Amino acid sequence: MHEDDSPELTEVARILKRDLEIQDVSLKVRKLVLRICDVVTRRAARLVAAGIVGILKKIGRDGSGGSTGGRSRSDANIRRTVVAIEGSLYTGYAMFREYLHEALTEILGEDMAQHVVLRPVEDGPGIGAALLAASQSTQTVDSVQQP
């Protein structure tokens, strides 16, 4: 619905009729539904951005030096940070993706946000499980080898 740019918002009307069984919705109501979609999408993107920035802050990649560092943005050596994102919400929903980038820029500032790259990945849970298993495997082998 959110991407319906027709003058009469025909896609919005079609979805309301098909999925919610709401017949004969006025253009004014269709515009309101579209506005609600926009508000919900923007809020969801901002919540995701806040989570990403929270993790970046914790690991010291938000430009502030992290939770244990005392560096400020001015003396931090800013490196590119790649954040892996999985899911059709990010890859298939242009407005969500736009709002997410907008929120990251607002929270981090333009200078820092340009160093954060959001990269779509496939099979994120499988990759995450493999990395977790590998890290646990290494810890177990190291603890077994040490007397």
Side-chain angles (χ1 to χ4, degrees), residues 9-61:
L9 300 174
T10 53
E11 183 66 12
V12 173
R14 188 185 66 75
I15 292 170
L16 288 172
K17 183 177 181 179
R18 183 194 69 204
D19 296 345
L20 300 176
E21 299 177 3
I22 300 173
Q23 309 280 336
D24 303 321
V25 179
S26 70
L27 181 57
K28 183 177 181 179
V29 172
R30 291 190 301 252
K31 286 180 180 180
L32 179 62
V33 168
L34 201 57
R35 178 69 182 128
I36 292 168
C37 288
D38 188 66
V39 168
V40 170
T41 302
R42 187 178 297 267
R43 183 170 191 271
R46 293 178 69 79
L47 288 170
V48 170
I52 290 171
V53 171
I55 293 168
L56 293 176
K57 184 171 185 65
K58 181 68 177 171
I59 64 174
R61 300 301 287 270

Side-chain angles (χ1 to χ4, degrees), residues 137-147:
S137 174
T138 302
Q139 289 176 358
T140 304
V141 169
D142 289 344
S143 64
V144 170
Q145 290 177 350
Q146 295 176 355

Side-chain angles (χ1 to χ4, degrees), residues 11-143:
E11 183 66 12
V12 173
R14 188 185 66 75
I15 292 170
L16 288 172
K17 183 177 181 179
R18 183 194 69 204
D19 296 345
L20 300 176
E21 299 177 3
I22 300 173
Q23 309 280 336
D24 303 321
V25 179
S26 70
L27 181 57
K28 183 177 181 179
V29 172
R30 291 190 301 252
K31 286 180 180 180
L32 179 62
V33 168
L34 201 57
R35 178 69 182 128
I36 292 168
C37 288
D38 188 66
V39 168
V40 170
T41 302
R42 187 178 297 267
R43 183 170 191 271
R46 293 178 69 79
L47 288 170
V48 170
I52 290 171
V53 171
I55 293 168
L56 293 176
K57 184 171 185 65
K58 181 68 177 171
I59 64 174
R61 300 301 287 270
D62 70 328
S64 69
S67 60
T68 57
R71 298 179 296 160
S72 68
R73 268 182 202 230
S74 61
D75 65 355
N77 185 10
I78 300 174
R79 300 183 307 182
R80 182 175 80 143
T81 301
V82 178
V83 178
I85 295 186
E86 182 186 47
S88 61
L89 184 61
Y90 181 79
T91 59
Y93 194 0
M95 291 302 296
F96 179 83
R97 190 170 51 250
E98 180 182 323
Y99 290 158
L100 178 56
H101 287 274
E102 179 183 288
L104 284 172
T105 300
E106 183 181 334
I107 297 168
L108 292 171
E110 286 186 40
D111 292 341
M112 191 60 213
Q114 68 184 348
H115 298 284
V116 177
V117 178
L118 303 180
R119 178 87 25 96
V121 296
E122 292 184 26
D123 194 28
I127 293 169
L131 289 172
L132 181 61
S135 71
Q136 294 301 310
S137 174
T138 302
Q139 289 176 358
T140 304
V141 169
D142 289 344
S143 64

